[in-house]
Amino acid sequence: MDRAAPVRRLEGETMGTVWQLALAGGPADPRAIVERVAGEVISESSLWVVDSEISRFNRTAPGHPIALSPGFAQAIAAALAVAADSDGAFDPALGEHAALWGFGPAGEQPLPQGLPLAGRWRELALRDGAMARRDGVQLDLNGIAKGQAVDRIAAALHEAGCRHFLLGIGGEYRGEGVRPDGQPWWVEVEMPPGAALPALRIALAGLSIATSGDYRRAFLHAGRRFSHSIDPRKIG
């Protein structure tokens, strides 16, 4: 790598947020790679797209296994694995809950008076690239889809010959290689408003980080603040 080469910086919009790419060397048109792969993930896992794979799956009749695309099956497999490892603290079957609280595509809703039970991810089983929906279960992969997009875009950039870059979508980042000056790619974690904490800087070289701030998406009702982070342990 040419140590005198400038770092190229590109950005755009995707998945309801901003993507950013800083790279040293690599393909002449990395924007096309980022937008192509991000578009693939959107077509698979976005609830905001009516004919996306997840939207179609959530409308299917329960009990009948549906063949999933490789990318969507990968996201489902990862989501179910994290759900199992966290004993349900991460739950990809909370789509109905998110919608009822106003954090789905339909937007703000009246406060729900009753909620279905959490933990129904345990009823989902991915077998040979196919899965059946269960009655009353709505998938929501918003907690994992951006991370998958970053992983897949990073892999596509690497395949195109890019070895040194920092890629981010929202709060999900992946750093590969180093900057032309030999330094790692540094990411500064944004502190919540009013937090009396020093700035946190993390070096990403062959590493990823995912963050989320409750202060980004929330609403006030009767003096109480409700954020988009839903704790399944407090449901049912």
Side-chain angles (χ1 to χ4, degrees):
M1 179 175 55
D2 182 0
R3 291 185 176 273
V7 173
R8 287 187 290 163
R9 299 184 183 276
L10 302 90
E11 66 177 41
E13 296 182 358
T14 190
M15 307 181 92
T17 186
V18 175
W19 65 263
Q20 297 174 315
L21 175 65
L23 71 165
D29 190 13
R31 179 181 296 274
I33 295 174
V34 175
E35 294 179 344
R36 172 180 59 81
V37 180
E40 292 171 359
V41 177
I42 289 171
S43 71
E44 295 162 2
S45 299
S46 176
L47 292 171
W48 276 257
V49 177
V50 175
D51 62 348
S52 68
E53 193 164 359
I54 191 171
S55 296
R56 296 197 307 272
F57 181 87
N58 283 341
R59 294 194 298 266
T60 60
H64 301 286
I66 305 296
L68 310 180
S69 70
F72 190 51
Q74 180 191 56
I76 293 293
L80 292 177
V82 174
D85 290 343
S86 66
D87 194 25
F90 176 82
D91 190 340
L94 288 185
E96 186 175 0
H97 295 78
L100 287 171
W101 281 106
F103 295 111
E108 186 175 348
Q109 305 288 318
L111 284 187
Q113 299 302 310
L115 290 169
L117 293 175
R120 298 196 60 194
W121 61 270
R122 294 181 177 87
E123 301 174 29
L124 302 174
L126 182 64
R127 296 189 179 90
D128 299 323
M131 189 172 73
R133 189 175 74 83
R134 298 305 176 191
D135 190 25
V137 171
Q138 295 286 298
L139 291 179
D140 185 331
L141 299 179
N142 288 332
I144 200 171
K146 289 186 182 72
Q148 189 204 26
V150 168
D151 286 346
R152 285 168 58 174
I153 293 169
L157 289 170
H158 196 272
E159 185 177 347
C162 189
R163 299 293 183 267
H164 305 276
F165 61 87
L166 175 67
L167 169 69
I169 300 179
E172 273 63 7
Y173 278 83
R174 175 73 184 177
E176 286 287 352
V178 295
R179 295 168 51 90
D181 60 6
Q183 286 283 318
W185 300 101
W186 290 96
V187 172
E188 186 168 304
V189 179
E190 182 179 81
M191 294 295 106
L197 298 171
L200 178 63
R201 298 182 75 222
I202 298 175
L204 297 183
L207 297 171
S208 300
I209 185 172
T211 62
S212 181
D214 283 354
Y215 55 90
R216 289 290 188 183
R217 292 192 65 194
F219 65 89
L220 292 174
H221 178 79
R224 292 184 61 190
R225 185 177 179 279
F226 297 88
S227 82
H228 75 296
S229 294
I230 298 174
D231 187 346
R233 295 171 298 182
K234 297 180 180 178
I235 299 174

